Amino acid sequence: MSRLALFDLDDTLLDRESAFRTWACNFIDGHNLSESSMETIIRIDLEGDKPVLLFFAELREALGIRTGVRELVGQFWDIYPTCFTVPDSTYDALKRLRLAGWKLGIVTNGPPTQWKKVEAVNLLPYFDGFCISEEIGIRKPDIGIFIEVAERCGAALDGWMVGDSADADIVGGHEAGLQTIWFPRGQVWEKNWLVPDAIAASIAEAVETILG
């Protein structure tokens, strides 16, 4: 069977921080909020770890917004996915992997709305399988989600996991028997009992490591 290359979504394949700030700027303008509102939005967001309904409930109260929570959520999912961009170097690198015979998968924690991001930047044609934690009821670093995405890719669980989360991606990938590539994004590695097999700053750099 083909070897497998798995990728995390937010802050790995996609620059979640940049896209969120772009959305936040549009949100501030659309609701006539002060520029200082950005700090409140970033603080309440918790780097994307807070459920969207709770995020907007807290944001509405903190900023005195009168629009209802569910309407805000609907507007968010109309606009937010369009704020993502992917550099040509990422598409080119993924294409190189596929041409070299690798099976490619996306494995991400989060809600089913993760699909909207992937579709917005046209990443689907580059991947053989896609697993979202809330769709299957298993979250990284549980080995079960890695087994599932490998099956969806039609590949053995043999290859690489690329991601930015030390626990979800690197520890999870290691426990699943995969080699790992870490995207530090300013983080410091703090686990002295395990180190990633490689470190990269871009998808193109990660693919060079995989193909090398």
Side-chain angles (χ1 to χ4, degrees), residues 55-203:
F55 167 70
F56 279 107
E58 293 184 13
L59 197 64
R60 186 172 179 266
E61 181 176 353
L63 298 178
I65 297 169
R66 302 186 66 178
T67 307
V69 170
R70 294 197 176 275
E71 184 176 348
L72 290 171
V73 171
Q75 293 171 355
F76 175 76
W77 284 117
D78 283 341
I79 298 171
Y80 176 52
T82 68
C83 297
F84 286 89
T85 59
V86 173
D88 288 342
S89 60
T90 292
Y91 294 116
D92 292 342
L94 295 174
K95 188 182 298 183
R96 284 183 64 204
L97 261 186
R98 287 180 67 90
L99 289 173
W102 287 72
K103 293 287 188 178
L104 276 60
I106 295 175
V107 54
T108 176
N109 288 343
T113 42
Q114 293 286 67
W115 280 108
K116 292 180 179 286
K117 302 175 186 177
V118 177
E119 292 168 347
V121 294
N122 197 34
L123 275 176
L124 283 176
Y126 296 85
F127 288 89
D128 302 286
F130 192 11
C131 257
I132 303 175
S133 65
E134 290 187 19
E135 285 190 338
I136 67 169
I138 310 173
R139 289 177 59 84
K140 294 181 294 184
D142 192 308
I143 190 174
I145 196 169
F146 296 99
I147 293 171
E148 177 65 24
V149 73
E151 290 179 354
R152 293 186 180 191
C153 289
L157 191 55
D158 173 32
W160 292 82
M161 175 65 208
V162 183
D164 70 297
S165 170
D167 290 316
D169 300 317
I170 306 308
V171 174
H174 174 77
E175 292 297 322
L178 300 167
Q179 293 178 275
T180 57
I181 300 176
W182 186 46
F183 278 30
R185 295 193 178 276
Q187 305 172 83
V188 176
W189 187 260
E190 297 180 341
K191 301 182 185 300
N192 57 16
W193 56 273
L194 172 70
V195 294
D197 294 286
I199 293 175
S202 67
I203 295 298

Side-chain angles (χ1 to χ4, degrees), residues 16-37:
R16 195 260 174 193
E17 180 181 354
S18 177
F20 185 78
R21 284 185 173 272
T22 298
W23 168 81
C25 287
N26 291 333
F27 184 81
I28 288 169
D29 290 343
H31 289 272
N32 297 313
L33 301 171
S34 66
E35 290 185 7
S36 63
S37 299

